[in-house]
Protein backbone atom coordinates (compact mmCIF):
# COMPACT_ATOMS: atom_id res chain seq x y z
CA UNK A 1 0.00 0.00 0.00
CA UNK A 2 2.82 2.38 0.85
CA UNK A 3 4.51 1.70 -2.50
CA UNK A 4 1.20 2.22 -4.28
CA UNK A 5 0.69 5.54 -2.41
CA UNK A 6 4.16 6.76 -3.34
CA UNK A 7 3.54 5.82 -6.96
CA UNK A 8 0.32 7.84 -7.02
CA UNK A 9 2.06 10.86 -5.52
CA UNK A 10 4.85 10.63 -8.11
CA UNK A 11 2.29 10.44 -10.91
CA UNK A 12 0.41 13.49 -9.58
CA UNK A 13 3.66 15.45 -9.17
CA UNK A 14 4.66 14.52 -12.70
CA UNK A 15 1.34 15.67 -14.13
CA UNK A 16 1.54 18.94 -12.16
CA UNK A 17 5.09 19.62 -13.38
CA UNK A 18 4.06 18.84 -16.94
CA UNK A 19 1.11 21.25 -16.68
CA UNK A 20 3.35 24.03 -15.33
CA UNK A 21 5.85 23.52 -18.16
CA UNK A 22 3.10 23.61 -20.76
CA UNK A 23 1.67 26.81 -19.26
CA UNK A 24 5.09 28.50 -19.31
CA UNK A 25 5.59 27.45 -22.92
CA UNK A 26 2.18 28.85 -23.87
CA UNK A 27 2.98 32.19 -22.19
CA UNK A 28 6.29 32.40 -24.02
CA UNK A 29 4.60 31.71 -27.37
CA UNK A 30 1.97 34.36 -26.68
CA UNK A 31 4.55 36.94 -25.65
CA UNK A 32 6.36 36.62 -28.98
CA UNK A 33 3.23 36.44 -31.15
CA UNK A 34 2.58 39.41 -33.39
CA UNK A 35 -0.87 40.15 -31.99
CA UNK A 36 -0.18 39.86 -28.23
CA UNK A 37 3.06 40.99 -26.60
CA UNK A 38 2.68 40.55 -22.86
CA UNK A 39 6.06 42.08 -22.00
CA UNK A 40 6.20 44.76 -24.68
CA UNK A 41 8.58 47.51 -23.60
CA UNK A 42 6.77 50.76 -22.92
CA UNK A 43 7.76 53.79 -24.95
CA UNK A 44 9.75 56.38 -23.04
CA UNK A 45 7.70 59.39 -21.99
CA UNK A 46 8.31 62.53 -24.03
CA UNK A 47 10.43 65.08 -22.18
CA UNK A 48 10.43 68.88 -22.55
CA UNK A 49 12.86 70.42 -25.01
CA UNK A 50 14.57 72.23 -22.16
CA UNK A 51 17.95 71.71 -20.57
CA UNK A 52 19.44 73.11 -17.41
CA UNK A 53 22.68 73.07 -15.49
CA UNK A 54 22.69 74.06 -11.83
CA UNK A 55 25.66 74.80 -9.58
CA UNK A 56 25.35 75.25 -5.84
CA UNK A 57 26.12 78.75 -4.61
CA UNK A 58 28.44 78.96 -1.61
CA UNK A 59 26.09 81.49 0.01
CA UNK A 60 22.29 81.69 -0.04
CA UNK A 61 20.80 83.82 -2.83
CA UNK A 62 18.12 86.08 -1.37
CA UNK A 63 17.71 88.81 -3.98
CA UNK A 64 18.01 88.61 -7.77
CA UNK A 65 18.02 91.47 -10.26
CA UNK A 66 16.63 90.56 -13.69
CA UNK A 67 18.11 92.46 -16.62
CA UNK A 68 16.10 93.19 -19.80
CA UNK A 69 15.95 90.15 -22.07
CA UNK A 70 17.97 90.43 -25.28
CA UNK A 71 16.06 90.00 -28.53
CA UNK A 72 15.75 91.11 -32.11
CA UNK A 73 13.84 94.34 -32.46
CA UNK A 74 11.05 92.55 -34.33
CA UNK A 75 10.65 90.10 -31.42
CA UNK A 76 10.82 92.64 -28.60
CA UNK A 77 7.18 92.22 -27.63
CA UNK A 78 7.62 88.45 -27.25
CA UNK A 79 10.75 89.01 -25.13
CA UNK A 80 8.93 91.39 -22.78
CA UNK A 81 6.02 88.96 -22.33
CA UNK A 82 8.38 86.05 -21.64
CA UNK A 83 10.48 87.99 -19.14
CA UNK A 84 7.36 89.15 -17.30
CA UNK A 85 6.22 85.54 -17.09
CA UNK A 86 9.59 84.33 -15.77
CA UNK A 87 9.63 87.04 -13.10
CA UNK A 88 6.05 86.31 -12.04
CA UNK A 89 6.70 82.55 -11.87
CA UNK A 90 9.87 83.01 -9.80
CA UNK A 91 8.03 85.30 -7.39
CA UNK A 92 5.24 82.76 -7.00
CA UNK A 93 7.77 80.10 -6.05
CA UNK A 94 9.25 82.40 -3.42
CA UNK A 95 12.82 81.11 -3.56
CA UNK A 96 14.22 84.63 -3.49
CA UNK A 97 13.19 88.24 -3.97
CA UNK A 98 13.07 89.22 -7.63
CA UNK A 99 13.47 92.77 -8.90
CA UNK A 100 13.49 94.03 -12.49
CA UNK A 101 16.01 96.57 -13.75
CA UNK A 102 14.95 98.81 -16.59
CA UNK A 103 17.46 99.72 -19.28
CA UNK A 104 17.47 103.32 -18.03
CA UNK A 105 18.82 102.23 -14.63
CA UNK A 106 21.67 100.15 -16.04
CA UNK A 107 23.82 102.94 -17.45
CA UNK A 108 26.75 101.43 -19.38
CA UNK A 109 26.13 97.88 -18.12
CA UNK A 110 25.69 95.23 -20.79
CA UNK A 111 22.72 92.87 -20.80
CA UNK A 112 24.39 90.44 -23.22
CA UNK A 113 24.36 86.73 -22.43
CA UNK A 114 27.98 85.50 -22.43
CA UNK A 115 28.17 82.04 -24.00
CA UNK A 116 31.06 80.80 -21.84
CA UNK A 117 29.52 82.23 -18.67
CA UNK A 118 32.47 84.50 -17.87
CA UNK A 119 30.89 87.82 -16.96
CA UNK A 120 32.64 91.10 -16.22
CA UNK A 121 33.34 91.17 -12.49
CA UNK A 122 33.33 94.97 -12.24
CA UNK A 123 29.89 95.09 -13.82
CA UNK A 124 28.60 92.41 -11.47
CA UNK A 125 29.91 94.33 -8.46
CA UNK A 126 28.24 97.52 -9.74
CA UNK A 127 24.91 95.72 -10.23
CA UNK A 128 25.19 94.04 -6.84
CA UNK A 129 25.68 97.39 -5.11
CA UNK A 130 23.23 99.33 -7.26
CA UNK A 131 20.36 96.91 -6.63
CA UNK A 132 21.52 95.35 -3.36
CA UNK A 133 21.35 91.98 -5.12
CA UNK A 134 23.15 88.67 -4.64
CA UNK A 135 22.66 87.47 -8.21
CA UNK A 136 21.95 88.76 -11.71
CA UNK A 137 19.83 87.12 -14.40
CA UNK A 138 20.81 87.52 -18.05
CA UNK A 139 18.60 86.14 -20.83
CA UNK A 140 18.24 86.09 -24.60
CA UNK A 141 15.30 85.24 -26.82
CA UNK A 142 16.72 83.12 -29.64
CA UNK A 143 13.58 83.20 -31.74
CA UNK A 144 9.84 83.61 -31.51
CA UNK A 145 6.98 82.72 -33.83
CA UNK A 146 3.83 84.46 -32.53
CA UNK A 147 1.47 82.81 -35.05
CA UNK A 148 0.23 79.22 -35.05
CA UNK A 149 1.94 76.90 -34.65
CA UNK A 150 3.76 79.09 -32.13
CA UNK A 151 7.44 78.62 -31.31
CA UNK A 152 9.88 80.13 -28.85
CA UNK A 153 13.52 79.57 -27.85
CA UNK A 154 15.46 81.19 -25.01
CA UNK A 155 18.54 80.94 -22.80
CA UNK A 156 18.89 82.26 -19.23
CA UNK A 157 21.94 82.62 -16.98
CA UNK A 158 21.64 83.21 -13.25
CA UNK A 159 24.99 84.61 -12.11
CA UNK A 160 26.15 84.85 -8.49
CA UNK A 161 27.40 88.46 -8.44
CA UNK A 162 29.46 87.93 -5.30
CA UNK A 163 31.63 85.23 -6.83
CA UNK A 164 31.14 85.94 -10.54
CA UNK A 165 30.05 82.51 -11.71
CA UNK A 166 26.91 81.05 -13.26
CA UNK A 167 24.81 79.10 -10.76
CA UNK A 168 22.01 78.21 -13.20
CA UNK A 169 21.79 77.89 -16.97
CA UNK A 170 18.44 77.15 -18.58
CA UNK A 171 17.99 76.83 -22.34
CA UNK A 172 14.83 75.65 -23.98
CA UNK A 173 12.73 75.58 -27.11
CA UNK A 174 8.95 75.27 -27.33
CA UNK A 175 7.12 74.29 -30.51
CA UNK A 176 3.37 73.81 -30.37
CA UNK A 177 3.45 71.78 -33.58
CA UNK A 178 5.11 69.00 -31.54
CA UNK A 179 2.67 66.71 -29.68
CA UNK A 180 4.78 66.62 -26.48
CA UNK A 181 5.04 70.40 -26.22
CA UNK A 182 1.40 70.93 -27.17
CA UNK A 183 0.25 68.34 -24.63
CA UNK A 184 2.12 70.02 -21.77
CA UNK A 185 0.88 73.42 -22.94
CA UNK A 186 -2.76 72.33 -22.95
CA UNK A 187 -2.36 70.81 -19.49
CA UNK A 188 -0.82 74.08 -18.25
CA UNK A 189 -3.74 76.07 -19.70
CA UNK A 190 -6.25 73.73 -18.06
CA UNK A 191 -4.62 73.72 -14.62
CA UNK A 192 -3.98 77.46 -14.50
CA UNK A 193 -7.40 78.51 -15.81
CA UNK A 194 -6.18 80.97 -18.43
CA UNK A 195 -9.77 81.85 -19.40
CA UNK A 196 -9.79 80.08 -22.75
CA UNK A 197 -12.93 78.09 -23.58
CA UNK A 198 -10.81 75.75 -25.70
CA UNK A 199 -7.07 75.00 -25.29
CA UNK A 200 -6.85 75.22 -29.06
CA UNK A 201 -7.69 78.93 -28.81
CA UNK A 202 -4.91 79.38 -26.26
CA UNK A 203 -2.41 77.88 -28.72
CA UNK A 204 -2.93 81.02 -30.85
CA UNK A 205 -2.14 83.37 -27.95
CA UNK A 206 1.48 84.64 -27.61
CA UNK A 207 0.67 85.62 -24.02
CA UNK A 208 -0.36 82.06 -23.19
CA UNK A 209 2.80 80.56 -24.70
CA UNK A 210 4.95 83.09 -22.83
CA UNK A 211 3.21 82.20 -19.57
CA UNK A 212 3.78 78.48 -20.20
CA UNK A 213 7.45 78.82 -21.19
CA UNK A 214 8.17 81.22 -18.33
CA UNK A 215 6.68 78.78 -15.83
CA UNK A 216 8.85 75.93 -17.10
CA UNK A 217 11.99 78.11 -17.05
CA UNK A 218 11.28 79.20 -13.47
CA UNK A 219 10.71 75.58 -12.52
CA UNK A 220 14.16 74.63 -13.82
CA UNK A 221 15.86 77.51 -11.99
CA UNK A 222 14.00 76.81 -8.76
CA UNK A 223 14.63 73.06 -8.51
Amino acid sequence: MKDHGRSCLRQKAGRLLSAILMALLAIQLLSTAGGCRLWQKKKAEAVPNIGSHLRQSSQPIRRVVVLPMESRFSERESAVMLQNSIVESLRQRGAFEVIEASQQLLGPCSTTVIADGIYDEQQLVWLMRRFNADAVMYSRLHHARPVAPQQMGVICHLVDAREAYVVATVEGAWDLSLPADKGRFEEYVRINDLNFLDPELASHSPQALAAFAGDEIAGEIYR
Side-chain angles (χ1 to χ4, degrees):
M1 290 293 291
K2 290 182 179 180
D3 291 340
H4 178 71
R6 291 194 186 97
S7 177
C8 289
L9 287 173
R10 283 197 295 270
Q11 289 177 4
K12 289 180 179 179
R15 287 196 295 271
L16 179 60
L17 179 60
S18 178
I20 291 172
L21 291 174
M22 290 296 292
L24 290 173
L25 179 61
I27 291 173
Q28 184 176 5
L29 290 173
L30 284 171
S31 68
T32 56
C36 181
R37 294 183 180 154
L38 301 181
W39 294 314
Q40 185 175 15
K41 185 177 179 181
K42 292 183 178 179
K43 292 182 179 179
E45 293 293 329
V47 297
N49 294 327
I50 184 168
S52 61
H53 175 73
L54 308 179
R55 176 180 175 183
Q56 188 67 38
S57 181
S58 62
Q59 304 173 62
I61 293 176
R62 296 185 174 88
R63 185 177 170 95
V64 173
V65 57
V66 178
L67 305 187
M69 181 178 287
E70 285 186 279
S71 69
R72 299 181 183 90
F73 180 79
S74 61
E75 297 173 340
R76 189 72 205 134
E77 187 175 354
S78 295
V80 170
M81 284 191 291
L82 179 56
Q83 178 170 311
N84 289 342
S85 173
I86 294 171
V87 169
E88 181 181 354
S89 296
L90 286 172
R91 284 173 176 163
Q92 288 176 352
R93 285 167 168 80
F96 35 67
E97 183 182 359
V98 181
I99 56 175
E100 293 182 87
S102 67
Q103 191 67 54
Q104 291 78 7
L105 296 176
L106 294 178
C109 289
S110 171
T111 61
T112 301
V113 172
I114 307 298
D116 61 10
I118 302 175
Y119 287 86
D120 184 273
E121 292 188 32
Q122 289 185 336
Q123 176 174 300
L124 290 171
V125 169
W126 188 89
L127 290 167
M128 180 174 61
R129 292 174 178 172
R130 175 69 177 80
F131 297 98
N132 190 28
D134 303 315
V136 181
M137 180 179 291
Y138 297 83
S139 58
R140 179 172 67 241
L141 183 68
H142 291 316
H143 67 275
R145 176 188 166 93
V147 296
Q150 293 193 85
Q151 297 175 353
M152 183 173 284
V154 68
I155 183 171
C156 298
H157 280 174
L158 182 63
V159 183
D160 189 322
R162 300 159 299 188
E163 301 185 43
Y165 64 78
V166 177
V167 293
T169 298
V170 179
E171 186 165 16
W174 294 263
D175 183 346
L176 296 188
S177 70
L178 300 177
D181 287 359
K182 188 172 183 181
R184 294 195 331 279
F185 172 77
E186 291 178 348
E187 182 69 5
Y188 173 83
V189 171
R190 184 186 67 79
I191 291 174
N192 290 275
D193 190 21
L194 297 189
N195 296 321
F196 287 95
L197 297 177
D198 184 344
E200 188 62 35
L201 296 176
S203 68
H204 293 264
S205 166
Q207 185 68 56
L209 178 61
F212 167 60
D215 183 73
E216 292 203 331
I217 291 168
E220 290 294 315
I221 293 172
Y222 183 74
R223 68 182 179 86

